């Protein structure tokens, strides 16, 4: 049986769709042997690697995050804000180390000090996760040794390459598929988000080539700053992976 690696993209609140993907994989009997993630994908990957179920992680996210992540930013609250995320991690994964996880995990962050992407797989965990999820200009960089860590998505929002050679097959869950807009008016945040994903689209496409199965839940009506549709986003991820059930099961043979 093939060892399966799973890569989870960043995407803020849309990252909840990864949980639906994980739920579907579990129902198919797919055991993930190693996980790679950036930003929200890294946080979800860490909690799953620690042994929490997709449903438990969904409940955790909903309990600690306002319906709007912008409200979370302004109030320094919400699961994906540094203060609350650090507190949740201390409670959920008290050992604070990659080595304590039940499933190997690789977390990609961006090091502003060296202007490069960096991937962690050992050592302290909480600080790396908070750094990987620290959206530039909204949250302060995390200082770790000689590094200044910010959102992993800046340089590599879909870190599939680091799984190459560490597993037999790779499943990718990417929650930021770019679709043509209807041409309607976009908010400033929607403009900012769309420009960001356009800027990194070429890098994401290159990373997607490492995946044997690529799952891209269609989430055009959900932005990365709103949690009010968390249950719907979960279901879309679940339906997306179940739609590729045959291809996923073939990987495990």
């Amino acid at each position: 049986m093939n060892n399966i690696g799973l890569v989870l993209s960043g995407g803020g609140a849309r990252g909840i769709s990864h949980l639906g993907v994980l739920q579907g994989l579990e129902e198919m009997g797919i055991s993930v042997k190693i996980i790679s993630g950036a930003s929200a994908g890294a946080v979800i990957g860490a909690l799953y690697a620690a042994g929490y179920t997709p449903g438990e992680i969904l409940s955790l996210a909903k309990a600690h995050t306002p319906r709007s992540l912008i409200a979370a930013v302004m109030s320094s609250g919400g699961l994906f804000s540094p203060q609350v995320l650090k507190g949740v991690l201390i409670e959920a994964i008290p050992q604070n180390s990659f080595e304590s996880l039940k499933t190997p995990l690789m977390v990609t962050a961006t090091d502003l000090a060296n202007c490069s992407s960096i991937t962690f797989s050992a050592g302290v965990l909480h600080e790396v996760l908070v750094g990987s999820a620290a959206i530039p200009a909204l949250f302060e960089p995390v200082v770790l040794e000689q590094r200044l860590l910010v959102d992993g998505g800046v340089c590599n929002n879909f870190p599939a390459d680091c799984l190459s050679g560490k597993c037999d097959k790779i499943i990718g869950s990417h929650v930021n598929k770019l679709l043509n807009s209807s041409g309607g008016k976009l908010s400033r945040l929607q403009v900012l988000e769309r420009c960001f994903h356009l800027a990194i689209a070429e890098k994401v496409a290159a990373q997607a080539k490492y995946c044997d199965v690529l799952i891209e839940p269609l989430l055009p009506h959900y932005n990365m700053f709103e949690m009010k549709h968390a249950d719907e986003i979960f279901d879309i991820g679940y339906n997306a992976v179940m739609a590729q059930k045959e291809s996923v099961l073939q990987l495990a043979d």
Side-chain angles (χ1 to χ4, degrees):
M1 181 173 290
N2 288 320
N3 288 328
I4 304 296
L6 177 67
V7 54
L8 305 175
S9 73
R14 281 199 301 269
I16 296 297
S17 197
H18 295 316
L19 296 173
V21 170
L22 285 165
Q23 181 66 42
L25 293 177
E26 285 194 352
E27 292 181 13
M28 293 181 207
I30 301 296
S31 177
V32 175
K33 301 301 183 182
I34 185 169
I35 300 171
S36 171
S39 196
V43 174
I44 288 170
L47 291 168
Y48 189 73
Y52 292 91
T53 68
E56 288 171 340
I57 301 170
L58 176 62
S59 296
L60 191 66
K62 290 165 64 177
H64 288 87
T65 308
R67 288 162 63 84
S68 168
L69 287 181
I70 292 304
V73 171
M74 299 306 293
S75 64
S76 296
L79 181 61
F80 298 115
S81 69
Q83 296 88 344
V84 173
L85 176 55
K86 185 68 177 290
V88 169
L89 292 172
I90 289 172
E91 183 176 347
I93 314 173
Q95 297 86 353
N96 190 24
S97 71
F98 280 83
E99 291 78 6
S100 70
L101 300 174
K102 298 177 181 179
T103 302
L105 175 72
M106 307 185 79
V107 173
T108 295
T110 300
D111 180 7
L112 289 183
N114 294 305
C115 303
S116 64
S117 177
I118 182 169
T119 299
F120 298 85
S121 59
V124 296
L125 178 65
H126 299 166
E127 292 79 3
V128 170
L129 289 172
V130 173
S132 181
I135 302 172
L138 296 181
F139 303 126
E140 292 291 326
V142 171
V143 179
L144 182 63
E145 298 175 350
Q146 302 301 312
R147 301 184 177 95
L148 289 175
L149 303 182
V150 297
D151 197 310
V154 172
C155 287
N156 192 353
N157 201 39
F158 193 47
D161 55 348
C162 59
L163 292 179
S164 182
K166 295 180 173 61
C167 54
D168 300 314
K169 300 292 182 178
I170 298 174
I171 297 173
S173 178
H174 177 249
V175 299
N176 306 301
K177 184 176 178 63
L178 280 169
L179 300 171
N180 290 336
S181 170
S182 62
K185 185 176 181 181
L186 300 176
S187 69
R188 291 183 181 182
L189 285 172
Q190 288 173 322
V191 170
L192 177 63
E193 181 185 356
R194 195 165 180 83
C195 288
F196 170 73
H197 289 298
L198 281 169
I200 66 172
E202 186 174 346
K203 176 71 171 181
V204 168
Q207 292 293 309
K209 293 178 180 178
Y210 288 91
C211 298
D212 297 283
V213 171
L214 177 63
I215 300 159
E216 290 189 291
L218 298 181
L219 300 160
H221 305 300
Y222 305 93
N223 68 56
M224 64 184 293
F225 301 106
E226 291 184 341
M227 279 288 291
K228 61 185 178 181
H229 302 296
D231 291 321
E232 295 175 24
I233 294 171
F234 179 99
D235 290 341
I236 291 171
Y238 175 81
N239 291 333
V241 70
M242 297 308 286
Q244 296 196 55
K245 182 176 181 178
E246 183 176 345
S247 297
V248 170
L249 290 175
Q250 286 177 354
L251 293 186
D253 294 337

